Amino acid sequence: MKQKQFIFFIAIQFFSGVCFAQTEKAVVEDFKPSSTNQPGREYPQVNSEGRVRVRIFAPEAQRVQLDISAVKYDLVKDTGGYWMGESAPQDEGFHYYQLWIDGAAVPDPNSLYFYGASRWGSGIEVPAKDQDFYSLKNVPHGQVRQHLYFSKTNNTIRRCYVYTPPDYDKDVNKRYPVLYLQHGGGEDETGWSNQGKVNLIMDNLIAEAKAVPFIIVMDNGTWTWPEGVPRPKPGERPSGPWPPKGWADNFMKTLLNDIIPMIDANYRTLSDSKNRAMAGLSMGGMQTRIITLAHPDVFSYVGVFSGGSFTVEDLNNNPAFKEKIKLVFIGYGSRELEDRRFNFGGDPKENTEAIKKAGMNAHFYVSQNTAHEWQTWRRSFFQFAQLVFKNN
Amino acid sequence: MKQKQFIFFIAIQFFSGVCFAQTEKAVVEDFKPSSTNQPGREYPQVNSEGRVRVRIFAPEAQRVQLDISAVKYDLVKDTGGYWMGESAPQDEGFHYYQLWIDGAAVPDPNSLYFYGASRWGSGIEVPAKDQDFYSLKNVPHGQVRQHLYFSKTNNTIRRCYVYTPPDYDKDVNKRYPVLYLQHGGGEDETGWSNQGKVNLIMDNLIAEAKAVPFIIVMDNGTWTWPEGVPRPKPGERPSGPWPPKGWADNFMKTLLNDIIPMIDANYRTLSDSKNRAMAGLSMGGMQTRIITLAHPDVFSYVGVFSGGSFTVEDLNNNPAFKEKIKLVFIGYGSRELEDRRFNFGGDPKENTEAIKKAGMNAHFYVSQNTAHEWQTWRRSFFQFAQLVFKNN
């Protein structure tokens, strides 16, 4: 089957002179509907190589493309008006994607939708060898609660999501540590539960007694241009540092003055700093770094996933951080480590080894064969959740 | 302004011979971005007449249409590749819609997405004169909790959403009545909170002491073909009754054997039948009627919104229903009452008046100028919530 297809590609290449087949391998025909499809939908599908195949009815369209991992793939129209085609093999885990129909970028009407890249759009799950840790299993489940609250800092009603562990409503005398867990740029407070499956990861860890049960608070860390900082004119590149000085200030105030007191008032928390952690991915990791360096009296455990690292200079400038923080966890995808864009503030592995030598309880984790994507962050969280609140 | 546009339309009609302007009135140019837009999006917009205007970049498309309330409107392309156009005035409230791009039906990439018509797709909010009752206000807010649980009836893990009132976590000795609230056909357990805004309606009612605080359970009532009933062949019209006999049996079993015991075990409920209600919209109303007639010992309050009514014959066949049920509430949109398709089992107003004469505490409510849509169901719920659990 594979060989026949390969010969067919060679033939096309020879007779037509096109070269699209040159780098193509035979596609393995074992595609299955994705777990992120809308109920009852046959497409999109994923095969054992991790190729994503989409199909859409667009009888009058001239050109339809699948756009995934920053590459556009032309689809082919059949006689019935359906366009179909597939991508190159994708890394394991979750990927955002979209379709282009005659120049219009739209969500695939067959997929579930997720907030990322500053839009609600299509996402697809490529089955992973280690997917067991975030699978839905018949174990006791925690809840994910939508919580609306008034924020004085922003003079508005905000929304956060709160994970409470399985037994939260059973023993009403028990109190729990709290992790404040932040999404990345262009994402929002829905990301960690929808794309990250953080509730399932926790349910599974707690069922196996591998994690201390804790509450997780997921709020919106999106920043707007800070007041008092000169703003670049439209179309101009910013002349100052990027992101601009003070970009994380508003969320820091919101977290310290509104979110944490609101959570401690409404949930059965252990409200001392020993029982409070902060972590985040990408932009949320940078916020975690800035906020925990500025307020090491408020948090005791720190996780930064694909969002930079801490240096010995950080410790020297912030002795209280070195003294009080009980755990620093830095996670990265192996493909990110080859890409200087993600080494915010120096090589994260070297930095983490250096602060460990300087006496901190520091962990460096690498997710194999994943990039700046959710599989890296699911795995990083999975590791972090097994370490946090354990040396209280 | 209006007059000028009108003259312009007449002129077009005269010179070009096209008749599209014949039934068009001048469009009032006071469009504003909709509250259901994705963050930061300028379109879609709604004007004071309730017209919906959409805009999408599709430079190579040949034809783009807005499809709302079962009518397709052609959009017009500008020189920059953007297509724009607007619908006729829509009823107040929430409407599902989609775009057609060269024959492909897709969600509008600028709107939030909602599950209805058996798909995740675009929805838009047309501001209503009475929107205050479902507006987000600075009052104490309840939570909407995603709850995963194992169902023995279906041998699978299911998801429901549970609204807990504002003070639920404050006084851990207080117990609450429970309403089981069902969505319509092609919708799911997300409908009542996303489209229905049932949590905000309750928060506002409780803040004004107009409703008894109660828990609301929203589960998935979608039915599949019942076992043992002959199935029509693909393409054939079913010869038996529609929906087929037994269509509600699986959900009835799931509700009685799995959902209610799970809720009573995990939430601080008042678990006697006096403190249990069931209501639903459209298909969910039909389920409510079937389930409460069969089990009047389990529920005491019944709401059916755009889903049929109870007859004197029902009471004669089910004397326990007449004896035990404390309230029957039937709600309809005024536009539905003119449409025989929605009078499942006879004229709902006459039926309700007849069971009232027969001695039941029966209420008939009409939502003015709304059809088989969410504004009818928000208003019906708002009325029902003020009556339920009050004569315990």
Side-chain angles (χ1 to χ4, degrees):
Chain A
M1 177 67 181
K2 272 195 186 180
Q3 203 162 15
K4 263 193 191 164
Q5 286 200 353
F6 183 67
I7 291 165
F8 176 70
F9 277 120
I10 297 289
I12 283 181
Q13 199 182 348
F14 185 79
F15 288 112
S16 69
V18 298
C19 63
F20 79 89
Q22 198 155 21
T23 57
E24 292 277 349
K25 283 189 200 157
V27 170
V28 180
E29 282 298 336
D30 57 359
F31 287 89
K32 291 192 187 106
S34 170
S35 62
T36 40
N37 286 7
Q38 292 191 25
R41 305 299 170 95
E42 274 295 293
Y43 289 85
Q45 300 189 341
V46 183
N47 77 353
S48 55
E49 301 169 284
R51 292 184 198 266
V52 173
R53 174 175 280 175
V54 295
R55 184 171 184 256
I56 184 169
F57 184 66
E60 301 154 28
Q62 303 303 304
R63 191 171 59 147
V64 182
Q65 294 171 303
L66 162 63
D67 180 353
I68 188 166
S69 304
V71 178
K72 290 179 189 168
Y73 301 88
D74 282 325
L75 307 188
V76 176
K77 190 179 168 185
D78 71 11
T79 52
Y82 282 91
W83 294 75
M84 195 162 89
E86 57 275 325
S87 72
Q90 303 290 305
D91 285 341
E92 296 183 328
F94 177 91
H95 306 282
Y96 299 114
Y97 77 101
Q98 63 185 355
L99 302 181
W100 290 84
I101 303 176
D102 286 346
V106 294
D108 182 344
N110 291 316
S111 80
L112 294 178
Y113 303 130
F114 303 85
Y115 195 73
S118 301
R119 64 163 187 248
W120 283 96
S122 293
I124 193 158
E125 193 69 41
V126 174
K129 283 182 284 298
D130 60 346
Q131 66 191 7
D132 185 71
F133 79 85
Y134 52 86
S135 295
L136 177 64
K137 297 182 196 176
N138 190 11
V139 297
H141 292 287
Q143 298 172 357
V144 177
R145 307 178 177 196
Q146 179 192 277
H147 194 120
L148 303 173
Y149 66 98
F150 183 77
S151 157
K152 279 187 201 162
T153 305
N154 303 280
N155 193 30
T156 190
I157 300 165
R158 289 169 61 97
R159 177 176 74 172
C160 67
Y161 287 91
V162 180
Y163 169 83
T164 54
D167 282 340
Y168 187 84
D169 286 309
K170 290 277 163 71
D171 178 358
V172 293
N173 295 310
K174 193 173 172 185
R175 294 187 162 268
Y176 296 84
V178 186
L179 166 65
Y180 293 83
L181 183 63
Q182 290 304 121
H183 59 83
E187 294 170 342
D188 71 6
E189 66 274 24
T190 63
W192 269 108
S193 53
N194 285 354
Q195 292 96 298
K197 295 176 181 267
V198 74
N199 53 324
L200 301 183
I201 299 174
M202 280 301 291
D203 292 345
N204 293 338
L205 280 173
I206 293 169
E208 296 189 38
K210 287 184 178 166
V212 173
F214 54 87
I215 294 168
I216 305 175
V217 178
M218 298 160 277
D219 208 299
N220 193 317
T222 306
W223 58 279
T224 52
W225 199 267
E227 273 178 54
V229 178
R231 201 170 182 144
K233 286 170 195 152
E236 270 183 23
R237 299 199 75 171
S239 57
W242 185 261
K245 195 171 151 32
W247 71 277
D249 285 0
N250 180 272
F251 181 67
M252 178 151 57
K253 270 186 217 159
T254 306
L255 178 63
L256 296 175
N257 300 339
D258 298 332
I259 303 173
I260 293 176
M262 180 277 289
I263 293 294
D264 283 333
N266 286 279
Y267 295 83
R268 298 195 317 278
T269 63
L270 292 163
S271 60
D272 56 330
S273 66
K274 243 179 32 182
N275 287 292
R276 197 177 294 122
M278 184 172 184
L281 74 91
S282 193
M283 179 191 82
M286 298 184 214
Q287 288 168 325
T288 298
R289 183 179 168 279
I290 291 169
I291 293 170
T292 57
L293 279 172
H295 295 280
D297 50 322
V298 175
F299 306 92
S300 291
Y301 298 83
V302 178
V304 174
F305 315 148
S306 308
S309 53
F310 293 87
T311 61
V312 172
E313 200 187 345
D314 287 333
L315 308 192
N316 293 339
N317 292 340
N318 303 273
F321 183 88
K322 188 182 165 191
E323 190 187 315
K324 297 202 169 158
I325 298 297
K326 298 183 167 198
L327 171 78
V328 168
F329 179 96
I330 306 293
Y332 265 92
S334 66
R335 299 201 200 289
E336 293 180 281
L337 295 175
E338 304 146 15
D339 186 337
R340 278 178 52 88
R341 283 181 306 161
F342 297 111
N343 292 1
F344 320 106
D347 182 288
K349 188 162 184 258
E350 287 173 15
N351 284 347
T352 307
E353 280 167 2
I355 66 166
K356 200 171 174 174
K357 263 192 199 153
M360 291 214 77
N361 177 24
H363 291 250
F364 189 73
Y365 168 73
V366 180
S367 161
Q368 290 306 323
N369 302 317
T370 62
H372 199 70
E373 297 229 34
W374 276 98
Q375 194 70 358
T376 299
W377 307 322
R378 290 169 176 169
R379 288 175 177 168
S380 293
F381 176 84
F382 177 67
Q383 298 299 326
F384 177 69
Q386 296 178 64
L387 297 169
V388 76
F389 303 124
K390 282 210 170 157
N391 41 349
N392 275 350
Chain B
M1 178 65 179
K2 273 194 187 181
Q3 204 164 13
K4 263 193 192 165
Q5 287 200 350
F6 184 65
I7 290 165
F8 177 71
F9 278 120
I10 297 291
I12 284 181
Q13 200 181 347
F14 184 79
F15 288 112
S16 70
V18 297
C19 64
F20 78 89
Q22 199 154 19
T23 56
E24 291 276 349
K25 282 190 199 156
V27 170
V28 179
E29 282 298 336
D30 58 358
F31 287 89
K32 291 190 187 109
S34 170
S35 63
T36 40
N37 287 7
Q38 291 191 26
R41 302 300 169 96
E42 274 294 294
Y43 289 87
Q45 300 188 341
V46 183
N47 78 353
S48 55
E49 302 169 284
R51 290 183 198 268
V52 173
R53 175 175 278 173
V54 295
R55 184 172 184 255
I56 184 169
F57 184 66
E60 299 153 29
Q62 303 301 304
R63 191 170 60 146
V64 182
Q65 293 171 303
L66 162 63
D67 180 353
I68 187 166
S69 303
V71 178
K72 289 179 189 169
Y73 300 88
D74 282 325
L75 308 188
V76 176
K77 188 179 167 184
D78 72 10
T79 52
Y82 282 91
W83 295 75
M84 196 162 88
E86 59 274 327
S87 73
Q90 302 292 305
D91 286 341
E92 295 182 329
F94 177 91
H95 307 282
Y96 299 114
Y97 76 100
Q98 63 185 353
L99 301 181
W100 290 84
I101 302 176
D102 287 345
V106 293
D108 182 345
N110 291 316
S111 81
L112 295 178
Y113 303 130
F114 304 86
Y115 195 74
S118 301
R119 63 162 188 249
W120 283 97
S122 292
I124 192 157
E125 193 69 44
V126 174
K129 283 183 283 298
D130 60 345
Q131 65 191 6
D132 185 70
F133 80 84
Y134 52 85
S135 296
L136 177 64
K137 296 181 196 177
N138 190 10
V139 296
H141 292 287
Q143 297 173 357
V144 177
R145 306 177 179 197
Q146 179 192 278
H147 194 120
L148 303 172
Y149 66 98
F150 182 77
S151 158
K152 279 186 200 162
T153 304
N154 302 281
N155 193 30
T156 188
I157 299 166
R158 290 170 58 98
R159 178 177 74 170
C160 67
Y161 287 90
V162 180
Y163 169 82
T164 53
D167 282 341
Y168 187 84
D169 286 310
K170 290 276 163 71
D171 178 357
V172 293
N173 295 310
K174 195 174 171 186
R175 293 186 163 268
Y176 296 84
V178 186
L179 166 66
Y180 293 84
L181 182 63
Q182 289 304 120
H183 60 85
E187 294 169 343
D188 71 6
E189 66 274 23
T190 63
W192 269 108
S193 53
N194 285 354
Q195 292 98 298
K197 295 177 182 265
V198 74
N199 54 323
L200 301 183
I201 298 174
M202 281 301 292
D203 292 344
N204 293 337
L205 280 173
I206 292 169
E208 296 188 36
K210 287 183 177 166
V212 173
F214 54 87
I215 293 167
I216 305 175
V217 179
M218 297 160 279
D219 208 298
N220 193 319
T222 305
W223 59 279
T224 51
W225 199 267
E227 273 177 53
V229 178
R231 201 172 184 144
K233 285 170 197 152
E236 269 183 24
R237 299 199 73 172
S239 56
W242 186 260
K245 195 172 153 28
W247 70 277
D249 285 0
N250 180 271
F251 182 67
M252 178 151 56
K253 270 186 220 158
T254 306
L255 178 63
L256 296 174
N257 300 340
D258 298 333
I259 303 174
I260 292 177
M262 178 277 288
I263 292 294
D264 284 333
N266 286 278
Y267 295 83
R268 297 195 317 278
T269 64
L270 293 163
S271 60
D272 55 332
S273 66
K274 241 179 36 180
N275 287 293
R276 196 178 294 121
M278 185 171 183
L281 74 91
S282 193
M283 179 191 83
M286 298 183 212
Q287 288 168 323
T288 298
R289 183 178 168 280
I290 292 168
I291 294 170
T292 57
L293 279 172
H295 295 279
D297 50 320
V298 176
F299 306 92
S300 291
Y301 298 83
V302 178
V304 174
F305 315 148
S306 308
S309 53
F310 293 87
T311 62
V312 172
E313 201 188 344
D314 287 332
L315 308 191
N316 293 340
N317 293 340
N318 304 274
F321 183 88
K322 189 185 164 188
E323 190 189 314
K324 296 202 169 158
I325 298 297
K326 297 184 169 197
L327 170 79
V328 169
F329 178 97
I330 305 293
Y332 265 93
S334 65
R335 300 202 201 288
E336 293 180 282
L337 295 174
E338 304 146 16
D339 186 337
R340 279 176 53 88
R341 282 182 306 162
F342 297 111
N343 291 1
F344 319 105
D347 182 289
K349 187 161 184 259
E350 287 173 16
N351 285 348
T352 307
E353 279 166 4
I355 65 166
K356 199 171 177 175
K357 265 191 196 151
M360 290 215 76
N361 176 24
H363 290 250
F364 188 73
Y365 168 74
V366 180
S367 162
Q368 291 306 322
N369 302 316
T370 61
H372 199 71
E373 296 227 37
W374 276 98
Q375 193 70 358
T376 300
W377 306 323
R378 289 170 178 169
R379 288 174 178 168
S380 294
F381 176 83
F382 178 66
Q383 297 298 326
F384 177 70
Q386 296 178 65
L387 298 170
V388 78
F389 304 123
K390 283 211 171 158
N391 42 348
N392 275 350

